[in-house]
Amino acid sequence: MAGFAPVRHIVGVAAPLLRANVDTDAIIPSREIKGVAKTGLAEGLFADWRYLAAGSRMPDPSFILNDPRFAHAPILLAGANFGCGSSREHAVWALGEYGVRAIVAPSFAPIFRGNCVSNGIIPVVLDAATILAIADAGAPAAIDLPTQTLVSGTITVSFDIDPETKVILTEGLDAIDRTLRQGDAIAAFHAADRIARPWVYLESIS
Amino acid sequence: MTNPRTLLTKLWDAHVVASLSAGEDLIAIDRIFLHERTGSIALRSLAASGRHVLDPGRVFAVTDHIVDTLPGRTGSRVPGGDVFLDATREETRKAGIRLFDVQDPDQGIVHVISPELAIVLPGVTLVCPDSHSCSQGALGALAWGIGSTEAEHAMATGTLRMSKPKAMRVTFDGRLAPGVTAKDMALALIATHGAGGGKGHAIEFAGEAVRALDIEGRLTLCNMATEFSAVTGFVAPDEAVFAYLDGRRFAPRGAAWEAALATWRTLATEPGARFDREIAIDASSIEPMVSWGTSPQSSVPISAVVPPARIGDAESHARALDYMALDAGQPLRGIPIDAAFIGSCTNSRLSDLRRAAAILDGRRVAPGVTAIVVPGSSAVRRAAEAEGLDRIFTAAGFEWRMSGCSLCFYAGGDGFAPGSRVISSTNRNFEGRQGPGIRTHIASPEMVAASAIAGAIADPRVIARVEAL
Ligand code: SF4
C-alpha cells in the first residue's frame, strides 16, 4: 500500500507567506478540527488570517491566498521555523487538501517536516535571500526532486534533501510497509532487550 | 579506548534495531502515549489499514485535550469534541490499550500523568503525537513528539525511522535567585538564543542549577525544549529521579527495580564527551521572565521594557506589537490584565500550585480579573485539596477546576472573553493560541498569581518581600 502518490515534479504558482515562526495553530486552528479524519480540513486552513472574523467565512482580501493570483498555489514560499508549535498533522493534511505540494522555507520545525514527508509534501530548504528573490520576481516555479533543483524565472537553485526523504517522496513509499520488512531484526531486538531490560516490557491488559 | 559518550549516544545506541540507509536508524520505541485529539486519528487510520498494534501493553492513552474541566463533567464542551472521545474509547478498547478516561482517578494531562504513573522511566524511548512530549525527558528518558502517521508507524512496528539528532548541552551554572524558577530558566534560554536555537538537536540540561531542581522543575524546563525547536530535552537521571519513581504504579518492583537501578545509574554523559554545541548560562543572573510578543523568544525579565525591533526584524516585530497592543519601550510591569490562568503541562503540578497559593494566601484577585486554576492531573487535584490549596485559590477568587489541558489552547469550547489580555503559566503565546485575538503573556505560576492580585503584570518577588517585613 503506497502512502501517497509519488512526487517528483511540482510546477505552478508560488505563494509568498514570508513570516517567520508560522505555527500549526495558525495553519489550522484547533477549533477548525471537527472530525476524527484526515480530510475536511482545507476550509479551515489559515482560518485566523484568511477570514475576516473567527468563525466567519468572509475572505480577508489582505491575506495572500485570497489574492486570485495565488489561490490554491501548489508551492508555498515561507519563513524560518515553518510549522512550529503543536504536532497536529492536521496542518499538513489541510495544506495538502488545499493543494499545496511543496513548501520552500529557510527551516522547518522537526515534527512538521516529518509530517510533510509522511504525506507527500516536499519540504524544500533554501536560504532566506533566495526565497525573497523568488517571491519578488513573482514568476511560477518548477521543483524537480530527482535533480534537486528549483527554477523560477531567471533563478535556478539546487537544494539539499536527505536521500531517505527523497526516496520516500519520489517513490510514494509507505514507511510502515518498509519497516515491517525489518520484522526479523525487530523481533531479534526485542528478544535480547527483554533479557537486558525486562522492566521495559509490561503485561498487556487483554 | 572508546571515545567518551554523551548520554544521548548511550540512549540512542541502546535502541538501534538496524541501521538504514543514509545515516538513518530504525529505533526501538519503548512507550507510546496517545491523547484523544491526535491519537484517535492514528488508531482509526491504523485499524483502517488492516494493521494492528504490535505490543498494546506498552501503549497508553488519555483524554486530556478537549475534556471539559468544569466540575461534574461528563465529556467535552468543544463542538464535535465527543466524537474524539468516543473514537478514542472505541479504538483503545478494540486494540487492548490502557485508557485513562475522563472519570479515571489517574486522568490528567499526558505529560503530567506519565511521570506520576512511572510510565516514563529513565533510559526509555517514549513518543506521543504531541509536541510537549519532550517534558518527560526530565526523568532521563528520550521522549519526543511525533505526527499521527508516525504514531501509526510506532504502534504497528514498535520502531521509528530516524536520524540521530545532534547533541547540545545547555549548562546552567550557579544557583537561581529566590523567586526564580525552572520556567524562567527556559524562557531566558529561548529569549537569548532564539526560538530556533535548538533546531536539529537533542538537549542535555546540566549544571548546578539543573541538578538543584526537583523533578517537577525539571519537567517544566524540559517541557519548553520544543519551544526552542529542539527535537527533545532531557536531564541525566539521578537519585532524586529514582526516589521519585520508587513505588509508583508502573515502576518495576523487587529484583526488577534493583536491576533497573543498576542500569539507570550508568545513564550519564562521560567526562570529555564531545557535544555538537554547548551553551552556558549563569543561573544566578536570571530574573523572573515574562513574554511580550507572540513567540516564546519574545520574553524579557520583569524589570525590562518591550524591546525595539532587531535588525531585519521590523515587520514581524511590528506585527507582534500590533497583535499584543503594546508599544516598544513600554515597561512590562504594570500592564493591566483581564485574566490569569494557572495550568498546562508546563506548570500545573503540586509544587507549582503550592508556590502560587503561597502568594495568594490571604489576598484577593483584583476586581474585573478572571482567574482560573486547572490542576494538571486528577492526582494533583486530590493532593492539592488534601493540603487545602483549593480553598486558598477559591478564597482569593480563583476558579478551581478539574484536570486537563483546558484553557492552555482554544479548541472552540471554553475560552476567555474576546480580546482579553491573559497572563498564563502555559508554554505558547502564539496568535490565537488561547482563542481568537487573545493576548497571552507566558510566565511562572507565581508571576501569574502576583499579577492576578495586582490586576497587572507584577513581580512575584515584591509580594514575597512584603511578606518578609
Ligand atoms: S497542556 Fe497545553 S501544551 Fe500541554 S499537552 Fe495540553 S494543550 Fe499541549
Side-chain angles (χ1 to χ4, degrees), chain B residues 65 109-111 130 132 344-345 405 408-409 427 433:
Chain B
H65 270 64
I109 303 171
V110 49
H111 316 305
D130 189 280
H132 290 99
S344 89
C345 55
C405 296
C408 171
F409 80 117
N427 44 46
R433 168 74 178 180

Side-chain angles (χ1 to χ4, degrees), chain A residues 47-120:
Chain A
D48 282 345
W49 296 340
R50 193 167 148 205
Y51 305 116
L52 280 172
S56 99
R57 287 294 186 248
M58 282 293 290
D60 180 339
S62 69
F63 184 61
I64 191 73
L65 295 180
N66 290 329
D67 180 331
R69 289 173 300 158
F70 296 115
H72 301 281
I75 299 169
L76 209 55
L77 302 174
N81 200 23
F82 190 79
C84 62
S86 159
S87 70
R88 66 180 70 137
E89 198 160 325
H90 306 79
V92 170
W93 295 327
L95 285 162
E97 192 173 279
Y98 181 82
V100 172
R101 294 286 167 268
I103 303 167
V104 186
S107 60
F108 292 89
I111 304 174
F112 180 86
R113 187 192 175 283
N115 289 341
C116 282
V117 178
S118 297
N119 291 278

Side-chain angles (χ1 to χ4, degrees), chain B residues 27-104:
Chain B
I27 290 296
I29 302 301
D30 298 326
R31 298 277 184 273
I32 301 166
F33 224 132
L34 306 171
H35 64 68
E36 81 280 22
R37 195 60 163 167
T38 53
S40 51
I41 300 187
L43 286 164
R44 272 274 159 89
S45 174
L46 188 70
S49 69
R51 295 174 177 131
H52 61 271
V53 180
L54 184 71
D55 188 357
R58 294 190 286 143
V59 184
F60 297 82
V62 65
T63 55
D64 57 358
H65 270 64
I66 51 170
V67 294
D68 187 6
T69 51
L70 292 177
R73 66 182 175 186
T74 52
S76 179
R77 289 192 300 143
V78 169
D82 284 322
V83 175
F84 288 83
L85 295 176
D86 289 340
T88 304
R89 288 168 187 144
E90 188 185 322
E91 298 299 338
T92 51
R93 186 175 42 73
K94 283 198 280 190
I97 291 169
R98 280 186 190 85
L99 169 66
F100 305 104
D101 204 350
V102 188
Q103 312 292 358
D104 193 300

Side-chain angles (χ1 to χ4, degrees), chain B residues 350-367:
Chain B
L350 189 59
S351 59
D352 298 314
L353 303 190
R354 280 182 184 150
R355 297 196 317 274
I359 286 175
L360 293 168
D361 198 2
R363 298 194 169 83
R364 286 286 304 170
V365 168

Side-chain angles (χ1 to χ4, degrees), chain B residues 172-234:
Chain B
F172 288 92
D173 293 310
R175 295 185 187 190
L176 293 174
V180 181
T181 67
K183 179 65 155 289
D184 304 308
M185 292 165 74
L187 289 175
L189 169 68
I190 300 166
T192 309
H193 296 276
K199 193 164 72 76
H201 290 80
I203 299 178
E204 178 170 351
F205 292 108
E208 185 186 356
V210 173
R211 290 259 80 87
L213 291 175
D214 62 12
I215 305 310
E216 300 193 349
R218 294 179 196 181
L219 283 158
T220 300
L221 177 62
C222 292
N223 176 271
M224 301 287 287
T226 188
E227 309 311 331
F228 194 44
S229 301
V231 177
T232 188
F234 52 83

